[in-house]
Amino acid sequence: MKKTLAPIGNLLALVLYGMGILAPLTPSEGMPSFWELLLFVGIPMVLLLYSWHICSSKVAKISVAFQATVIAGFTMWLLLLELGALANGS
């Protein structure tokens, strides 16, 4: 049972984050609220943490850790972009 929960949690995390990338997390929608960040970034990260905890294979753990790193990095890039920290000074 636990072995089937890890891929389901991983897929659910991707789908939930993907839904966030479609609208509320993009710069065209403005700065996301705390609740939007919690829903579209926080919950997927918790699901990935749970999937990482369940996985027994080192390859699966590395894959889940890579996915969490990509989600965190891309979200930070989007937030910095919305704050104007990546704008040119000219």
Side-chain angles (χ1 to χ4, degrees):
M1 180 67 175
K2 280 189 173 183
K3 290 191 179 206
T4 59
L5 286 179
I8 290 171
N10 198 351
L11 183 62
L12 186 60
L14 276 177
V15 168
L16 196 56
Y17 186 71
M19 288 172 35
I21 291 299
L22 288 177
L25 298 179
T26 58
S28 63
E29 295 292 321
M31 191 67 163
S33 70
F34 171 76
W35 298 109
E36 290 171 339
L37 286 174
L38 184 67
L39 177 66
F40 294 114
V41 179
I43 293 175
M45 293 301 271
V46 169
L47 287 170
L48 288 174
L49 181 65
Y50 181 70
S51 294
W52 182 83
H53 182 67
I54 288 176
C55 291
S56 58
S57 166
K58 286 190 180 201
V59 173
K61 284 189 180 225
I62 290 171
S63 175
V64 171
F66 178 72
Q67 183 179 347
T69 304
V70 168
I71 286 176
F74 191 69
T75 301
M76 289 304 296
W77 179 74
L78 283 175
L79 290 175
L80 287 173
L81 190 65
E82 290 178 21
L83 287 172
L86 302 176
N88 289 339
S90 56

